[in-house]
Amino acid sequence: MPSPSLIETGELQVILDDIADRVAGMSDRGKVAQYIPELAGVDLNQFGIAVAPIDGAPVSAGNADTLFSIQSISKVFSLTEALQHVGATLWQRVGATLWQRVGREPSGDPFNSIVQLEHERGIPRNPFINPGAIVVADVLLEDRSSDEAVNDVLNLCRTLAEDASMQVDKAVADSEMRTGSRNRALAHFMKAEGNLKAPVEDVLSLYFRQCSIAMSCRQLAVAGRYLAAAGQNPADGSTVLSAQRARRVTALMMMCGSYDASGEFAFRVGLPAKSGVGGGILCIVPGIAAVTAWSPGLDAKGNSHLASIAFQELVRATRWSVFGPSV
Ligand code: GLN
């Protein structure tokens, strides 16, 4: 069986156009996230997809240049920022490594579940559920203010996407800040268990703002390429993460990136993925490309309904599943 490879641009364009056409005709589009008021008003009738090869120009279809709230996809970039900039010395000073404060197992529970956290003494199962990302945000605050940390995560996204225009959507951040009682509960519980060091509101100010970064499918796909390229930014060959760390982040995406539907996504698609309640899904095709699909309507687990279908169609057409092509 030949190993998967990048498909010629023209052929890829036909595949993406075909997916966008089929998705446009689907009547079940899921439901927009209701619990963040600012997201509840987003138009359901949007869909975009972009493939960013590690070696070549992005190919896209649909609303691939429309900005959307990246939400939990930001957890990939905040984890990258933490792994990149918080070195061994700082770990020694703070007396605990990241992996002593956050686990690496799928949770099997919703992204904002509280129950597991109590059983497991304030140590979140992984960095891609909300409490795990809140701990990562706290780690970033070891050596900087929350304003500085937001800028660092934003600048990382800008550098990786080769686009300096992206911003935090302040209306979305304010909306989360006003209504984020559940995240506050998670953070206070971890604080009580000694797993948060900075003041809860500082940590949440960073967490809500990183979730509110607005990006397009094209920007996000380009930004994700380092994970398909063994940690190197294909734009300039610089090392974003060591190959080992990039592999680990990608492994976490496969096992934990779609919350309690991570098994289902692996079963149906077979690519490391990170989803967000803004309706985006970033997938990594190791050695080949990063891909983002977006449609704001979510399924019951909080993953984009149409973006998930789009990825199923994409791997069927491209044979890009890491588990081998379907017959
Ligand atoms: N900001 C969202 C929250 O905290 C992120 C959740 C998500 O995208 N799954 O609930």
Side-chain angles (χ1 to χ4, degrees):
M1 189 71 71
S3 59
S5 58
L6 182 59
I7 295 165
E8 186 262 316
T9 304
E11 193 186 338
L12 196 52
Q13 186 68 63
V14 171
I15 292 171
L16 298 189
D17 287 341
D18 183 49
I19 292 172
D21 277 355
R22 258 180 298 156
V23 160
M26 290 182 182
S27 52
D28 179 5
R29 307 187 74 84
K31 288 199 174 79
V32 288
Q34 297 295 327
Y35 76 104
I36 302 174
E38 197 64 26
L39 295 184
V42 175
D43 176 9
L44 207 54
N45 291 310
Q46 301 180 88
F47 171 82
I49 187 164
V51 175
I54 59 177
D55 184 12
V59 184
S60 65
N63 309 115
D65 292 308
T66 304
L67 297 178
F68 62 89
S69 193
I70 68 169
Q71 291 293 320
S72 280
I73 304 173
S74 69
K75 294 168 183 172
V76 172
F77 301 111
S78 61
L79 178 62
T80 296
E81 180 70 25
L83 292 171
Q84 205 182 39
H85 287 300
V86 185
T89 326
L90 184 56
W91 292 135
Q92 277 155 18
R93 184 156 67 73
V94 302
T97 73
L98 177 64
W99 301 120
Q100 288 169 317
R101 295 177 60 187
V102 189
R104 305 185 296 243
E105 294 295 341
S107 68
D109 277 327
F111 56 82
N112 55 5
S113 171
I114 295 174
V115 64
Q116 201 167 52
L117 206 53
E118 180 159 22
H119 284 304
E120 299 182 2
R121 311 295 308 259
I123 311 287
R125 276 282 174 100
N126 67 69
F128 292 157
I129 50 174
N130 290 10
I134 291 169
V135 169
V136 172
D138 186 58
V139 165
L140 290 177
L141 296 185
E142 292 283 354
D143 63 350
R144 64 199 108 173
S145 69
S146 57
D147 285 353
E148 286 165 342
V150 172
N151 275 329
D152 288 343
V153 175
L154 189 57
N155 282 331
L156 176 66
C157 294
R158 287 172 171 160
T159 304
L160 292 171
E162 299 182 274
D163 187 335
S165 70
M166 65 201 60
Q167 301 287 349
V168 171
D169 183 330
K170 204 173 164 310
V172 175
D174 290 348
S175 186
E176 288 207 64
M177 200 69 184
R178 272 198 315 278
T179 57
S181 301
R182 217 180 158 90
N183 286 317
R184 274 194 182 89
L186 292 165
H188 279 288
F189 185 77
M190 292 191 289
K191 185 82 175 165
E193 289 288 339
N195 199 17
L196 277 198
K197 298 182 191 307
V200 163
E201 288 305 318
D202 291 1
V203 182
L204 290 177
S205 162
L206 165 57
Y207 172 73
F208 290 139
R209 284 187 286 167
Q210 73 174 63
C211 286
S212 304
I213 293 173
M215 290 172 77
S216 67
C217 287
R218 186 191 303 268
Q219 289 170 332
L220 204 43
V222 173
R225 290 183 307 170
Y226 70 105
L227 292 171
Q232 300 225 315
N233 183 352
D236 58 9
S238 63
T239 299
V240 183
L241 287 179
S242 68
Q244 185 193 50
R245 282 180 164 161
R247 203 164 51 233
R248 289 174 166 179
V249 172
T250 313
L252 286 166
M253 291 172 76
M254 178 66 92
M255 301 307 294
C256 318
S258 310
Y259 324 111
D260 47 338
S262 299
E264 185 70 16
F265 197 85
F267 184 85
R268 289 184 187 277
V269 174
L271 288 174
K274 184 74 207 81
S275 70
V277 292
I281 301 179
L282 168 66
C283 276
I284 304 305
V285 192
I288 296 178
V291 187
T292 301
W294 166 68
S295 184
L298 308 178
D299 62 21
K301 301 279 173 88
N303 298 306
S304 171
H305 179 62
L306 293 183
S308 302
I309 291 175
F311 274 112
Q312 272 178 255
E313 302 282 321
L314 184 72
V315 294
R316 189 171 301 131
T318 56
R319 303 153 68 98
W320 278 349
S321 165
V322 298
F323 299 113
S326 45
V327 281

